[in-house]
Amino acid sequence: MQQELGRNLTYGLQEVLGRAIVVGYYNDRPFPNEADIVREHGVSRSVTREAVKMLAAKGLLGARPKQGTFVLPQESWNLFDTDVLRWLLERKLSINLLRHFNELRVAVEPAAAALAARRAGPEQHAAILAGLDRMRAAEQGRDETLDADIAFHVAVLRASENPFYIQFRDVVATALRTSIRFTNRIAGRSASIADHAAVYEAIVAGEADRARLAMAKLIDDVLVLIEGVGEEAAAA
């Protein structure tokens, strides 16, 4: 069992228990106590306590005297925690979750693009262009499509020079991996290079309104795709 958890037993146990919580394994059964976890996974009490503490910090677990440790309702989960988001996206694909994520993107990324148009300098412009060039290379099979698309969006967030938007990068990178796979499969093609280029050109030109509108169009196109697909079709 310890081999299955990997070298770092604490993070391995967190991964196993966290995924089990998110996929609903404990929906109809109590969360195991410390002794049960130690016995089932072959780890020490200190490893167990640390893993449980980490899951509690993510909003997945709570504890009360005499009641012990228990799974918290989903509304308590920290969706900005990349582990929680990844576990959510790894379970059966949820159109609602993808819709909600892209609704968040459309509230953040166009504003970040507008700020980038006002604040970005040559170094940030070069980073955005590098992401765009990677997308072009990916279309020719010389780069990885997902990584290239994510690099572009992360570069725009960084170019906003807003620390809150910049910290959003990890959430974007985690969730975009699922979102891009889904939208590319439904659309039958990868993301539009021309639409991404329009964002880059507006930022370099320093035209904040145009940058905002260009980024909003990118995400609105994704939302239109998602709205047009039912849960059953998405899971097919």
Side-chain angles (χ1 to χ4, degrees), residues 50-235:
E50 189 62 28
V52 167
K53 187 187 300 182
M54 291 162 68
L55 293 171
K58 297 175 185 294
L60 298 182
L61 294 175
R64 292 194 187 100
K66 297 183 180 179
Q67 185 177 348
T69 303
F70 56 91
V71 175
L72 289 170
Q74 187 166 337
E75 307 87 72
S76 300
W77 300 354
N78 180 8
L79 301 183
F80 290 99
D81 184 287
T82 54
D83 287 330
V84 175
L85 184 58
R86 175 169 52 83
W87 294 328
L88 280 166
L89 291 167
E90 284 176 358
R91 70 188 188 182
K92 183 178 179 181
L93 179 62
S94 167
I95 293 299
N96 279 335
L97 182 60
L98 286 178
R99 181 188 298 114
H100 294 159
F101 168 65
N102 282 286
E103 286 169 351
L104 176 62
R105 288 183 65 205
V106 84
V108 172
E109 291 192 65
L115 287 176
R118 296 189 184 104
R119 298 173 176 173
E123 186 174 338
Q124 288 110 329
H125 291 163
I128 299 170
L129 179 58
L132 185 62
D133 286 342
R134 288 188 62 185
M135 292 181 70
R136 290 175 175 137
E139 285 216 326
Q140 300 172 4
R142 294 185 287 105
D143 206 328
E144 210 287 320
T145 302
L146 286 174
D147 290 341
D149 203 339
I150 289 168
F152 177 89
H153 288 277
V154 168
V156 173
L157 290 170
R158 289 183 181 278
S160 73
E161 295 193 343
N162 180 303
F164 295 98
Y165 288 169
I166 292 170
Q167 289 210 0
F168 190 58
R169 70 189 183 278
D170 292 336
V171 174
V172 167
T174 299
L176 272 182
R177 292 197 175 277
T178 296
S179 184
I180 292 170
R181 285 191 191 99
F182 168 74
T183 52
N184 286 358
R185 174 164 61 85
I186 297 302
R189 58 171 175 78
S190 57
S192 167
I193 301 296
D195 287 347
H196 284 73
V199 175
Y200 166 71
E201 290 163 4
I203 290 173
V204 171
E207 298 181 15
D209 288 340
R210 184 156 68 98
R212 179 187 293 106
L213 290 172
M215 182 64 85
K217 180 184 183 303
L218 274 179
I219 304 169
D220 283 340
D221 287 348
V222 173
L223 282 167
V224 168
L225 274 177
I226 291 172
E227 293 290 346
V229 177
E231 293 278 354
E232 291 183 5

Side-chain angles (χ1 to χ4, degrees), residues 41-57:
H41 297 283
V43 294
S44 68
R45 288 183 178 272
S46 61
V47 165
T48 299
R49 288 170 190 158
E50 189 62 28
V52 167
K53 187 187 300 182
M54 291 162 68
L55 293 171

